[in-house]
Amino acid sequence: MPLLLAAACGTAEKSASPSAGGGTTAAAADLKVAGEAGKKPTVTFPAGQPPLTSSSLKVLDGSGVAAKDGDVLTAKVTVFNWDGKENKSSGSDYDQGHSEFVTVSPQLPKSLHEALVGAKPGGRVVAVVAKDSLSPDQITQAKDQGTDFNTTSQVLVVDVESAAPKAAQGSAVDPGVEGVKLENPGGDKAPTLTTKTDAKAPKDLVVKTVIKGAGPQIKADQMVLAHYTGKIWGTDKEFDSSWQRGEPATFALNQVVKGWSQGLTGVPVGSRVLISIPPDLGYGKEGNAQGGIKGTDTLVFVVDVLGAV
């Protein structure tokens, strides 16, 4: 689980109780955060008991476009338990050797949301997440997992690396798969996939690059950020779409159907690809009743690869 989500055991959900945090406060400002951007930070804590009210602080400005709600940031997060005693770090993406995706949203704890709005690539922000940001259920859940928010707060140091695009950008080519039509409107708009056809579905996995990205190639064990639409060959039935949900999906590439894990491995970040997946590399003979997918259905996806960590 990403550190940002695991940090306070459910703090990624905004509680009904109000937060006392409001921009930069003495609590966050009293922390001394050292280290260059792109390197694991060190935090020196003031003496005494931790504050039990939330606050936020921007440490390094960064450059480029400021983050806003709905943006998905690639970042490295370091978490400290501010207990007024040892103030130990409970984990860091720097130690794990990879980044994570952070969605800027009002559903985040208020102090974290305030810290991330306006953050820029290369910037560093700090959020003190205290019990005023959490619901009673979240406080209980956290205590069961070893963090008592009645006596402790958590400090999240977030190093923003980049912001994901909303869609694959660049000149699109025809995927050249008989029976499949793909419209690429450009900009941040969703592509339109049509799979109503009498043409016979391919027996093997087909992966066609529509827009070639300029980013690094995806590795088989990475987390991937993507927008996609999935339809059933021949019927044009849409069974899933992140575009319709209004936000890209995040998934571990080694934990999805084989057609995705095989088809997306090696694809450069920033690409749009068309993937035709035969049943044995999809949901198999059992199909997927919830999605209305039979065991004989060939699945067709258009996937915008927006990031990988």
Side-chain angles (χ1 to χ4, degrees):
M1 179 184 291
L3 280 173
L4 188 71
L5 299 185
C9 174
T11 58
E13 295 296 328
K14 185 179 178 183
S15 70
S17 57
S19 167
T24 301
T25 71
D30 281 347
L31 298 169
K32 294 182 180 178
V33 183
E36 299 175 11
K39 294 184 179 180
K40 185 179 176 180
T42 59
V43 177
T44 303
F45 292 81
Q49 295 300 309
L52 299 181
T53 54
S54 301
S55 56
S56 65
L57 177 70
K58 285 183 172 63
V59 179
L60 299 173
D61 287 336
S63 60
V65 179
K68 59 185 183 303
D69 282 343
D71 286 349
V72 181
L73 308 177
T74 298
K76 283 191 172 72
V77 182
T78 303
V79 182
F80 296 86
N81 290 322
W82 192 350
D83 60 7
K85 301 172 185 175
E86 297 179 282
N87 302 321
K88 284 186 175 180
S89 173
S90 58
S92 175
D93 287 325
Y94 285 101
D95 296 334
Q96 296 185 11
H98 59 76
S99 306
E100 63 179 275
F101 297 120
V102 180
T103 300
V104 182
S105 166
Q107 297 304 111
L108 293 169
K110 185 178 180 182
S111 59
L112 181 57
H113 178 236
E114 289 173 343
L116 290 174
V117 171
K120 300 176 181 178
R124 171 174 286 168
V125 300
V126 176
V128 177
V129 178
K131 66 178 183 180
D132 61 346
S133 290
L134 310 177
S135 68
D137 285 346
Q138 288 169 341
I139 293 172
T140 299
Q141 187 183 9
K143 190 171 184 179
D144 290 343
Q145 295 191 3
T147 301
D148 186 356
F149 276 95
N150 291 305
T151 58
T152 302
S153 293
Q154 284 193 326
V155 176
L156 308 182
V157 183
V158 183
D159 287 358
V160 179
E161 296 172 327
S162 62
K166 304 295 185 184
Q169 305 290 327
S171 299
V173 299
D174 190 324
V177 177
E178 183 185 0
V180 174
K181 295 180 181 178
L182 186 63
E183 297 178 15
N184 301 281
D188 292 340
K189 295 181 180 178
T192 302
L193 175 66
T194 304
T195 61
K196 185 162 184 62
T197 179
D198 293 328
K200 198 170 184 180
K203 293 182 179 180
D204 299 321
L205 180 69
V206 175
V207 182
K208 296 290 186 178
T209 300
V210 179
I211 297 173
K212 186 174 182 179
Q217 293 183 345
I218 301 174
K219 298 176 183 176
D221 61 350
Q222 285 189 297
M223 293 290 296
V224 176
L225 177 75
H227 255 319
Y228 66 90
T229 296
K231 290 191 171 185
I232 296 174
W233 183 284
T235 69
D236 202 40
K237 177 184 176 181
E238 181 177 289
F239 58 85
D240 195 8
S241 173
S242 64
W243 291 101
Q244 292 294 332
R245 291 192 295 274
E247 59 182 6
T250 303
F251 52 89
L253 193 54
N254 57 10
Q255 295 180 9
V256 291
V257 296
K258 290 181 180 179
W260 269 53
S261 57
Q262 293 179 20
L264 292 177
T265 297
V267 170
V269 171
S271 297
R272 173 172 293 165
V273 294
L274 181 85
I275 307 178
S276 175
I277 303 177
D280 61 316
L281 296 179
Y283 292 102
K285 294 179 181 179
E286 298 82 13
N288 184 315
Q290 185 176 358
I293 299 168
K294 301 190 297 291
T296 56
D297 284 337
T298 292
L299 311 180
V300 184
F301 291 91
V302 55
V303 184
D304 282 17
V305 179
L306 306 179
V309 295

